[in-house]
Amino acid sequence: EVQLVESGGGLVLAGGSLRLSCAASGFTFDDSTIGWFRQVPGKEREGISYISGSDGSKYYTDSVKGRFTISSDNAENTMFLQMNSLKPEDSAIYYCAASPDPAVVAGLWGLEYDYWGQGTQVTVSS
């Protein structure tokens, strides 16, 4: 059974840091495109970062560039999102996603990902 299980969310003061983890089972991250998304209830989902499975390139949306870092430990089949200098507007439910298809075009539309985590709440207080 394929699963992505997230952890690491919580409540933090503005300016603080959190590290989200996403552990995969049932497939490997080798050559997988992996990404992080977030969503505030009642608003559209926002793609924030990915690592391309084809060339390892990383992308960040402007709102998190310079503050968030995406990484993965393929030996542990776990991906991470290090979030620094958090702002109240970063508050959302965060989701990890993965596509093991090496031919997929990496992006943040959402449809390119086959597997999704259950989400973890991040709340940043001012």
Side-chain angles (χ1 to χ4, degrees), residues 83-100:
M83 306 186 295
N84 298 330
S85 302
L86 283 161
K87 305 174 182 180
E89 52 263 43
D90 294 318
S91 297
I93 301 173
Y94 283 70
Y95 299 89
C96 60
S99 171

Side-chain angles (χ1 to χ4, degrees), residues 35-107:
W36 286 95
F37 293 76
R38 66 187 179 187
Q39 188 168 23
V40 176
K43 295 189 176 182
E44 286 190 4
R45 182 179 62 199
E46 178 187 17
I48 56 178
S49 183
Y50 69 77
I51 299 178
S52 170
S54 62
D55 62 8
S57 60
K58 299 180 180 180
Y59 172 86
Y60 300 92
T61 194
D62 286 346
S63 61
V64 306
K65 198 175 295 181
R67 299 187 299 122
F68 291 11
T69 302
I70 188 172
S71 63
S72 68
D73 181 338
N74 288 358
E76 295 294 327
N77 229 30
T78 302
M79 58 191 286
F80 305 97
L81 185 68
Q82 177 67 43
M83 306 186 295
N84 298 330
S85 302
L86 283 161
K87 305 174 182 180
E89 52 263 43
D90 294 318
S91 297
I93 301 173
Y94 283 70
Y95 299 89
C96 60
S99 171
D101 182 356
V104 77
V105 176

